Amino acid sequence: MTLLLDVLLDRRNEAEAGPSGWQPAWDRALDLLAPHLRGWTMTVDGPILADGAAALALALYLLSTGQGPAAVTRGQVEDLLDRRGGTDYDIAPRWEEMLRTAGHDPEDQADPVSTCWRQLRVDNSPPEDASEEHDLDSFRRWGPGYIEGLRHALAPRFEIRF
């Protein structure tokens, strides 16, 4: 059985290949989340929480320019999930603009930050023609991974304190 923290530590180690602020953002994300995830496996909630940790690292990275990830507040991270009168699908362009501002091309295959983004922006919703059984499946993932995962990781049950 694969433990969630092992997966997250592997992702953090991969961050060493990224730009200077990428690994500190991962370190901060794991500092915030790891105490709440001990014993979790990659079954059921594990993939969602793995996306949540990666999305938190990405948010910390994008928000911390010049100040370091420890200076980023929970409110700043939550603001990245604000629909601003639109839908969840209107959030991605803001994240992509922040990526570009930070010097990343979201489609760059060689950029580890962009690679993380492309994995997180995958929409896990079932197709519109899916059977009603999907609606009854409480383990079914819904929506883009970065939104679904980050909302899950910031849920009150984990009591993440910035």
Side-chain angles (χ1 to χ4, degrees), residues 139-154:
F139 299 120
R140 178 74 187 160
R141 298 189 63 190
W142 295 87
Y146 71 104
I147 293 173
E148 174 190 44
L150 193 50
R151 285 182 180 153
H152 207 69
L154 295 175

Side-chain angles (χ1 to χ4, degrees), residues 132-145:
E132 289 184 24
E133 291 176 17
H134 283 283
D135 291 337
L136 301 174
D137 184 359
S138 63
F139 299 120
R140 178 74 187 160
R141 298 189 63 190
W142 295 87

Side-chain angles (χ1 to χ4, degrees), residues 1-149:
M1 194 175 316
T2 304
L3 291 177
L4 175 57
L5 282 177
D6 292 338
V7 170
L8 296 177
L9 288 172
D10 285 345
R11 287 190 182 180
R12 179 232 171 255
N13 291 338
E14 291 170 6
E16 291 178 6
S20 63
W22 188 222
Q23 188 166 1
W26 263 101
D27 289 343
R28 178 70 173 143
L30 290 180
D31 285 347
L32 292 168
L33 288 170
H36 307 283
L37 303 180
R38 299 205 188 286
W40 284 70
T41 64
M42 285 302 292
T43 59
V44 187
D45 283 341
I48 297 172
L49 289 170
D51 281 354
L56 180 57
L58 182 58
L60 293 169
Y61 171 75
L62 294 172
L63 292 167
S64 68
T65 54
Q67 60 184 352
V72 175
T73 67
R74 182 184 181 104
Q76 289 175 293
V77 173
E78 289 172 341
D79 187 55
L80 289 178
L81 295 175
D82 188 350
R83 293 177 180 162
R84 298 185 182 157
T87 69
D88 281 352
Y89 301 101
D90 297 317
I91 297 172
R94 291 197 325 264
W95 285 61
E96 290 192 358
E97 183 57 35
M98 291 179 73
L99 278 165
R100 286 185 190 90
T101 299
H104 302 277
D105 172 0
E107 303 308 321
D108 184 350
Q109 301 291 322
D111 182 342
V113 176
S114 296
T115 298
C116 180
W117 169 247
R118 284 191 310 281
Q119 292 167 352
L120 290 172
R121 73 180 181 195
V122 170
D123 188 345
N124 298 299
S125 300
E128 289 190 26
D129 62 349
S131 70
E132 289 184 24
E133 291 176 17
H134 283 283
D135 291 337
L136 301 174
D137 184 359
S138 63
F139 299 120
R140 178 74 187 160
R141 298 189 63 190
W142 295 87
Y146 71 104
I147 293 173
E148 174 190 44

